[in-house]
Amino acid sequence: MDKELSLEKLFSDIILFFIRNKLMIISITLSGVISVILFQKLKPAYFQTTAIATSGVAAYERFEDEDILNQRTAINIINTLQVDVRKEDYEALSSKLKITLEEASQIKYIEAEQIFREDHDDKKHNTPKFSISLLVRNNSLITTIQDGIISYFNDNDYIKNYKKIYNLTNDEIIKSIDNEISELRLLRNNSNSAIDFSTNTILSSRDEMDIQNQIIDLKHKRSIIITNNKMLSPIAFVENFTQTTIEEREVVVWGTAIGFLSFILSIIISIVREVKQKALKQVD
């Protein structure tokens, strides 16, 4: 019974406390929220956009993960730009992206992240795609920055050297496949041949149907290599950055956070004021 009375008194004291100090609590809380809203509305706007990209760098390096191009190198190359943004090294950004110093200073944030797919066991697997998040002060520069990223990859000496070797070695493989197809066709035309090509050809068979299937398989592999040679760029945008016109001001997030802190501050001030008033009454 005494416990119930003490709880009732506690709740009663809390309610009376808020009633006595409601004007101060409301005014301080509203002042904090209004200040944030005004600050967010008056400060320069930011524009956030996202693109989806892929890169042939992993293919050039002959580095694959579960038969899917691993985009770690390309992602790391883009994320070095964020290091320059964080340091406000706009001269470095300007040089890398081939944009003006003023344009480079408009970049607030840029970062790439691997895109994963989930299987039925909720296990994540790599995909050959990655996303690039961009935050800029001027939305008219979004296309310029995207072009700058393409230039940044195309002019990278490491990527250029690897791409050159990749294309040369692929050309050699294509020649070998062409020679193999020619030999298999000769073998098919002479189905009674007893020649065994197992020591000097990619595939061998003396059955006409098997030879035909091997020729088709080699042509398929040849088409993949030719496609990769022509289509695998240092970087390609699957989905361009959106030319957004929506400003990112974070009014709700900051308004809620500052409003809560202002509310806590108003309670502390109210408690201090009441303690001070009680102390003055006791002195009197």
Side-chain angles (χ1 to χ4, degrees):
M1 186 68 178
D2 291 339
K3 187 176 182 180
E4 290 179 359
L5 290 173
S6 61
L7 287 173
E8 184 178 349
K9 186 178 185 306
L10 175 63
F11 284 116
S12 177
D13 290 342
I14 292 173
I15 292 170
L16 291 173
F17 170 80
F18 279 103
I19 292 173
R20 289 193 302 271
N21 298 282
K22 62 182 179 181
L23 292 177
M24 177 174 288
I25 293 172
I26 292 173
S27 61
I28 293 176
T29 303
L30 286 178
S31 296
V33 173
I34 293 171
S35 298
V36 171
I37 293 173
L38 291 175
F39 174 75
Q40 291 291 328
K41 289 295 183 181
L42 293 175
K43 78 171 187 177
Y46 294 104
F47 300 88
Q48 185 173 11
T49 181
T50 303
I52 298 175
T54 187
S55 171
V57 176
Y60 306 155
E61 296 175 318
R62 309 286 184 184
F63 177 56
E64 297 184 3
D65 182 13
E66 298 179 356
D67 297 325
I68 295 293
L69 296 182
N70 188 307
Q71 300 293 351
R72 189 176 305 128
T73 302
I75 289 171
N76 289 340
I77 289 173
I78 290 176
N79 287 343
T80 59
L81 296 173
Q82 176 58 23
V83 176
D84 295 327
V85 173
R86 192 181 300 115
K87 294 190 301 182
E88 297 185 356
D89 190 351
Y90 299 124
E91 289 188 6
L93 276 174
S94 173
S95 175
K96 290 177 180 179
L97 299 179
K98 287 185 169 52
I99 57 179
T100 66
L101 198 63
E102 174 62 25
E103 289 170 339
S105 67
Q106 300 300 304
I107 302 174
K108 181 177 173 62
Y109 178 84
I110 181 170
E111 189 170 81
E113 186 177 0
Q114 178 73 46
I115 295 177
F116 296 96
R117 65 172 180 85
E118 291 188 0
D119 59 21
H120 59 278
D121 295 323
D122 294 331
K123 185 178 179 181
K124 292 185 177 181
H125 301 273
N126 276 332
T127 70
K129 309 292 190 302
F130 57 93
S131 63
I132 306 175
S133 298
L134 177 66
L135 190 63
V136 292
R137 294 178 174 88
N138 186 346
N139 61 341
S140 66
L141 296 176
I142 292 174
T143 301
T144 301
I145 294 169
Q146 178 172 314
D147 292 339
I149 293 172
I150 295 173
S151 174
Y152 176 47
F153 272 75
N154 289 336
D155 294 340
N156 185 291
D157 289 334
Y158 173 85
I159 296 175
K160 284 195 294 186
N161 291 333
Y162 253 107
K163 187 176 188 298
K164 182 179 179 181
I165 296 171
Y166 176 79
N167 289 338
L168 287 173
T169 53
N170 276 353
D171 289 341
E172 291 298 321
I173 295 172
I174 290 171
K175 290 179 182 178
S176 297
I177 290 176
D178 288 340
N179 292 334
E180 181 68 13
I181 290 174
S182 297
E183 291 180 350
L184 286 170
R185 281 174 174 164
L186 288 173
L187 181 60
R188 185 187 63 186
N189 293 334
N190 186 7
S191 58
N192 294 324
S193 173
I195 299 175
D196 184 2
F197 290 93
S198 60
T199 59
N200 57 7
T201 60
I202 299 172
L203 297 169
S204 65
S205 175
R206 286 176 294 179
D207 180 85
E208 186 174 353
M209 183 58 69
D210 286 345
I211 292 173
Q212 178 65 24
N213 290 338
Q214 290 172 18
I215 290 174
I216 293 172
D217 184 53
L218 286 171
K219 283 187 173 181
H220 176 66
K221 291 179 179 178
R222 183 179 183 274
S223 67
I224 292 174
I225 295 172
I226 291 174
T227 301
N228 287 342
N229 262 9
K230 292 184 176 181
M231 296 299 295
L232 282 179
S233 305
I235 189 170
F237 281 85
V238 180
E239 181 68 31
N240 294 333
F241 287 112
T242 303
Q243 296 297 313
T244 181
T245 57
I246 305 300
E247 299 175 351
E248 298 288 335
R249 293 189 180 274
E250 300 179 339
V251 174
V252 175
V253 175
W254 283 104
T256 303
I258 299 301
F260 176 75
L261 292 175
S262 298
F263 176 72
I264 298 299
L265 178 63
S266 67
I267 291 176
I268 294 172
I269 293 174
S270 298
I271 291 172
V272 171
R273 190 181 69 169
E274 289 206 350
V275 170
K276 184 178 179 181
Q277 289 175 346
K278 287 182 179 178
L280 289 175
K281 287 181 179 180
Q282 289 177 356
V283 171
D284 295 339

mmCIF file of all heavy atoms in Angstrom, residues 121-145:
data_model
loop_
_atom_site.group_PDB
_atom_site.id
_atom_site.type_symbol
_atom_site.label_atom_id
_atom_site.label_comp_id
_atom_site.label_asym_id
_atom_site.label_seq_id
_atom_site.Cartn_x
_atom_site.Cartn_y
_atom_site.Cartn_z
ATOM 1 N N ASP A 121 19.226 -18.649 -48.960
ATOM 2 C CA ASP A 121 19.727 -18.806 -47.582
ATOM 3 C C ASP A 121 20.187 -17.473 -47.001
ATOM 4 O O ASP A 121 20.859 -17.452 -45.971
ATOM 5 C CB ASP A 121 20.885 -19.808 -47.551
ATOM 6 C CG ASP A 121 20.436 -21.209 -47.934
ATOM 7 O OD1 ASP A 121 19.310 -21.581 -47.560
ATOM 8 O OD2 ASP A 121 21.207 -21.914 -48.611
ATOM 9 N N ASP A 122 19.835 -16.377 -47.679
ATOM 10 C CA ASP A 122 20.232 -15.025 -47.267
ATOM 11 C C ASP A 122 21.745 -14.829 -47.276
ATOM 12 O O ASP A 122 22.269 -13.937 -46.594
ATOM 13 C CB ASP A 122 19.690 -14.703 -45.857
ATOM 14 C CG ASP A 122 18.170 -14.630 -45.853
ATOM 15 O OD1 ASP A 122 17.596 -14.285 -46.896
ATOM 16 O OD2 ASP A 122 17.568 -14.921 -44.800
ATOM 17 N N LYS A 123 22.443 -15.646 -48.055
ATOM 18 C CA LYS A 123 23.889 -15.505 -48.192
ATOM 19 C C LYS A 123 24.185 -14.532 -49.326
ATOM 20 O O LYS A 123 23.592 -14.614 -50.394
ATOM 21 C CB LYS A 123 24.529 -16.865 -48.486
ATOM 22 C CG LYS A 123 26.047 -16.812 -48.528
ATOM 23 C CD LYS A 123 26.624 -18.197 -48.775
ATOM 24 C CE LYS A 123 28.152 -18.126 -48.836
ATOM 25 N NZ LYS A 123 28.743 -19.473 -49.097
ATOM 26 N N LYS A 124 25.105 -13.597 -49.090
ATOM 27 C CA LYS A 124 25.417 -12.576 -50.081
ATOM 28 C C LYS A 124 26.478 -13.064 -51.067
ATOM 29 O O LYS A 124 27.445 -13.721 -50.677
ATOM 30 C CB LYS A 124 25.893 -11.297 -49.391
ATOM 31 C CG LYS A 124 24.805 -10.592 -48.605
ATOM 32 C CD LYS A 124 25.292 -9.281 -48.036
ATOM 33 C CE LYS A 124 24.177 -8.537 -47.307
ATOM 34 N NZ LYS A 124 24.627 -7.242 -46.762
ATOM 35 N N HIS A 125 26.273 -12.714 -52.341
ATOM 36 C CA HIS A 125 27.220 -13.065 -53.398
ATOM 37 C C HIS A 125 27.550 -11.815 -54.213
ATOM 38 O O HIS A 125 26.717 -10.931 -54.398
ATOM 39 C CB HIS A 125 26.629 -14.138 -54.318
ATOM 40 C CG HIS A 125 26.262 -15.409 -53.611
ATOM 41 N ND1 HIS A 125 27.156 -16.441 -53.394
ATOM 42 C CD2 HIS A 125 25.087 -15.815 -53.068
ATOM 43 C CE1 HIS A 125 26.552 -17.423 -52.754
ATOM 44 N NE2 HIS A 125 25.298 -17.066 -52.541
ATOM 45 N N ASN A 126 28.797 -11.785 -54.705
ATOM 46 C CA ASN A 126 29.210 -10.660 -55.548
ATOM 47 C C ASN A 126 28.397 -10.600 -56.833
ATOM 48 O O ASN A 126 27.928 -11.621 -57.338
ATOM 49 C CB ASN A 126 30.690 -10.803 -55.915
ATOM 50 C CG ASN A 126 31.598 -10.246 -54.837
ATOM 51 O OD1 ASN A 126 31.229 -9.341 -54.099
ATOM 52 N ND2 ASN A 126 32.800 -10.792 -54.736
ATOM 53 N N THR A 127 28.252 -9.404 -57.356
ATOM 54 C CA THR A 127 27.734 -9.198 -58.705
ATOM 55 C C THR A 127 28.782 -8.358 -59.434
ATOM 56 O O THR A 127 29.648 -7.752 -58.795
ATOM 57 C CB THR A 127 26.381 -8.459 -58.712
ATOM 58 O OG1 THR A 127 26.599 -7.093 -58.316
ATOM 59 C CG2 THR A 127 25.384 -9.115 -57.773
ATOM 60 N N PRO A 128 28.739 -8.308 -60.761
ATOM 61 C CA PRO A 128 29.725 -7.494 -61.487
ATOM 62 C C PRO A 128 29.389 -6.005 -61.483
ATOM 63 O O PRO A 128 29.950 -5.240 -62.247
ATOM 64 C CB PRO A 128 29.660 -8.066 -62.908
ATOM 65 C CG PRO A 128 28.283 -8.586 -63.025
ATOM 66 C CD PRO A 128 27.900 -9.097 -61.674
ATOM 67 N N LYS A 129 28.482 -5.584 -60.619
ATOM 68 C CA LYS A 129 28.044 -4.181 -60.564
ATOM 69 C C LYS A 129 28.378 -3.568 -59.201
ATOM 70 O O LYS A 129 28.494 -4.270 -58.198
ATOM 71 C CB LYS A 129 26.534 -4.080 -60.802
ATOM 72 C CG LYS A 129 26.017 -4.799 -62.041
ATOM 73 C CD LYS A 129 26.483 -4.162 -63.309
ATOM 74 C CE LYS A 129 25.775 -4.735 -64.535
ATOM 75 N NZ LYS A 129 25.946 -6.183 -64.685
ATOM 76 N N PHE A 130 28.521 -2.256 -59.190
ATOM 77 C CA PHE A 130 28.696 -1.530 -57.933
ATOM 78 C C PHE A 130 27.988 -0.185 -58.046
ATOM 79 O O PHE A 130 27.750 0.318 -59.148
ATOM 80 C CB PHE A 130 30.175 -1.349 -57.569
ATOM 81 C CG PHE A 130 30.994 -0.649 -58.613
ATOM 82 C CD1 PHE A 130 31.189 0.729 -58.570
ATOM 83 C CD2 PHE A 130 31.583 -1.354 -59.647
ATOM 84 C CE1 PHE A 130 31.941 1.380 -59.521
ATOM 85 C CE2 PHE A 130 32.344 -0.717 -60.614
ATOM 86 C CZ PHE A 130 32.525 0.653 -60.553
ATOM 87 N N SER A 131 27.626 0.370 -56.904
ATOM 88 C CA SER A 131 26.928 1.656 -56.882
ATOM 89 C C SER A 131 27.908 2.766 -56.509
ATOM 90 O O SER A 131 28.882 2.535 -55.786
ATOM 91 C CB SER A 131 25.767 1.633 -55.882
ATOM 92 O OG SER A 131 26.245 1.426 -54.570
ATOM 93 N N ILE A 132 27.643 3.966 -57.026
ATOM 94 C CA ILE A 132 28.449 5.141 -56.686
ATOM 95 C C ILE A 132 27.513 6.211 -56.140
ATOM 96 O O ILE A 132 26.579 6.634 -56.834
ATOM 97 C CB ILE A 132 29.191 5.699 -57.919
ATOM 98 C CG1 ILE A 132 30.012 4.601 -58.599
ATOM 99 C CG2 ILE A 132 30.108 6.849 -57.499
ATOM 100 C CD1 ILE A 132 30.669 5.059 -59.891
ATOM 101 N N SER A 133 27.731 6.616 -54.905
ATOM 102 C CA SER A 133 26.925 7.671 -54.280
ATOM 103 C C SER A 133 27.659 8.998 -54.412
ATOM 104 O O SER A 133 28.862 9.079 -54.143
ATOM 105 C CB SER A 133 26.675 7.348 -52.804
ATOM 106 O OG SER A 133 25.945 6.146 -52.671
ATOM 107 N N LEU A 134 26.927 10.009 -54.817
ATOM 108 C CA LEU A 134 27.524 11.328 -55.047
ATOM 109 C C LEU A 134 26.681 12.401 -54.381
ATOM 110 O O LEU A 134 25.459 12.413 -54.503
ATOM 111 C CB LEU A 134 27.610 11.596 -56.557
ATOM 112 C CG LEU A 134 28.158 12.962 -56.993
ATOM 113 C CD1 LEU A 134 29.624 13.104 -56.618
ATOM 114 C CD2 LEU A 134 27.976 13.143 -58.497
ATOM 115 N N LEU A 135 27.340 13.305 -53.665
ATOM 116 C CA LEU A 135 26.680 14.439 -53.025
ATOM 117 C C LEU A 135 27.401 15.705 -53.473
ATOM 118 O O LEU A 135 28.615 15.847 -53.257
ATOM 119 C CB LEU A 135 26.729 14.301 -51.502
ATOM 120 C CG LEU A 135 25.886 15.269 -50.680
ATOM 121 C CD1 LEU A 135 24.407 15.072 -50.968
ATOM 122 C CD2 LEU A 135 26.144 15.069 -49.187
ATOM 123 N N VAL A 136 26.674 16.610 -54.125
ATOM 124 C CA VAL A 136 27.289 17.823 -54.677
ATOM 125 C C VAL A 136 26.508 19.061 -54.258
ATOM 126 O O VAL A 136 25.322 18.994 -53.937
ATOM 127 C CB VAL A 136 27.357 17.768 -56.217
ATOM 128 C CG1 VAL A 136 28.327 16.704 -56.676
ATOM 129 C CG2 VAL A 136 25.983 17.530 -56.821
ATOM 130 N N ARG A 137 27.182 20.195 -54.299
ATOM 131 C CA ARG A 137 26.532 21.458 -53.960
ATOM 132 C C ARG A 137 25.772 22.044 -55.150
ATOM 133 O O ARG A 137 24.857 22.824 -54.971
ATOM 134 C CB ARG A 137 27.592 22.465 -53.480
ATOM 135 C CG ARG A 137 28.266 22.073 -52.168
ATOM 136 C CD ARG A 137 29.325 23.103 -51.790
ATOM 137 N NE ARG A 137 29.879 22.845 -50.478
ATOM 138 C CZ ARG A 137 30.919 22.043 -50.248
ATOM 139 N NH1 ARG A 137 31.511 21.425 -51.256
ATOM 140 N NH2 ARG A 137 31.376 21.866 -49.022
ATOM 141 N N ASN A 138 26.174 21.647 -56.350
ATOM 142 C CA ASN A 138 25.567 22.189 -57.570
ATOM 143 C C ASN A 138 25.135 21.028 -58.461
ATOM 144 O O ASN A 138 25.978 20.301 -58.994
ATOM 145 C CB ASN A 138 26.580 23.084 -58.295
ATOM 146 C CG ASN A 138 25.974 23.793 -59.490
ATOM 147 O OD1 ASN A 138 24.886 23.442 -59.947
ATOM 148 N ND2 ASN A 138 26.672 24.796 -60.003
ATOM 149 N N ASN A 139 23.829 20.849 -58.627
ATOM 150 C CA ASN A 139 23.347 19.687 -59.384
ATOM 151 C C ASN A 139 23.642 19.775 -60.878
ATOM 152 O O ASN A 139 23.567 18.776 -61.590
ATOM 153 C CB ASN A 139 21.843 19.485 -59.166
ATOM 154 C CG ASN A 139 21.016 20.661 -59.634
ATOM 155 O OD1 ASN A 139 21.526 21.768 -59.804
ATOM 156 N ND2 ASN A 139 19.739 20.441 -59.835
ATOM 157 N N SER A 140 23.988 20.958 -61.382
ATOM 158 C CA SER A 140 24.310 21.087 -62.801
ATOM 159 C C SER A 140 25.658 20.454 -63.142
ATOM 160 O O SER A 140 25.988 20.279 -64.324
ATOM 161 C CB SER A 140 24.327 22.568 -63.208
ATOM 162 O OG SER A 140 25.386 23.256 -62.567
ATOM 163 N N LEU A 141 26.443 20.087 -62.105
ATOM 164 C CA LEU A 141 27.765 19.500 -62.327
ATOM 165 C C LEU A 141 27.753 17.975 -62.303
ATOM 166 O O LEU A 141 28.808 17.351 -62.465
ATOM 167 C CB LEU A 141 28.742 20.013 -61.265
ATOM 168 C CG LEU A 141 29.030 21.505 -61.269
ATOM 169 C CD1 LEU A 141 29.929 21.869 -60.102
ATOM 170 C CD2 LEU A 141 29.661 21.929 -62.578
ATOM 171 N N ILE A 142 26.596 17.362 -62.107
ATOM 172 C CA ILE A 142 26.522 15.905 -61.970
ATOM 173 C C ILE A 142 27.073 15.202 -63.214
ATOM 174 O O ILE A 142 27.887 14.278 -63.117
ATOM 175 C CB ILE A 142 25.083 15.457 -61.674
ATOM 176 C CG1 ILE A 142 24.670 15.929 -60.276
ATOM 177 C CG2 ILE A 142 24.951 13.932 -61.778
ATOM 178 C CD1 ILE A 142 23.212 15.673 -59.930
ATOM 179 N N THR A 143 26.646 15.641 -64.396
ATOM 180 C CA THR A 143 27.120 15.034 -65.641
ATOM 181 C C THR A 143 28.615 15.276 -65.827
ATOM 182 O O THR A 143 29.355 14.381 -66.270
ATOM 183 C CB THR A 143 26.351 15.597 -66.846
ATOM 184 O OG1 THR A 143 24.960 15.324 -66.678
ATOM 185 C CG2 THR A 143 26.826 14.959 -68.136
ATOM 186 N N THR A 144 29.074 16.461 -65.486
ATOM 187 C CA THR A 144 30.500 16.791 -65.601
ATOM 188 C C THR A 144 31.349 15.872 -64.737
ATOM 189 O O THR A 144 32.412 15.392 -65.167
ATOM 190 C CB THR A 144 30.748 18.254 -65.187
ATOM 191 O OG1 THR A 144 29.974 19.116 -66.017
ATOM 192 C CG2 THR A 144 32.213 18.621 -65.305
ATOM 193 N N ILE A 145 30.882 15.602 -63.520
ATOM 194 C CA ILE A 145 31.618 14.731 -62.605
ATOM 195 C C ILE A 145 31.606 13.296 -63.112
ATOM 196 O O ILE A 145 32.608 12.577 -63.019
ATOM 197 C CB ILE A 145 31.028 14.835 -61.187
ATOM 198 C CG1 ILE A 145 31.262 16.244 -60.629
ATOM 199 C CG2 ILE A 145 31.640 13.784 -60.264
ATOM 200 C CD1 ILE A 145 30.514 16.553 -59.364
#
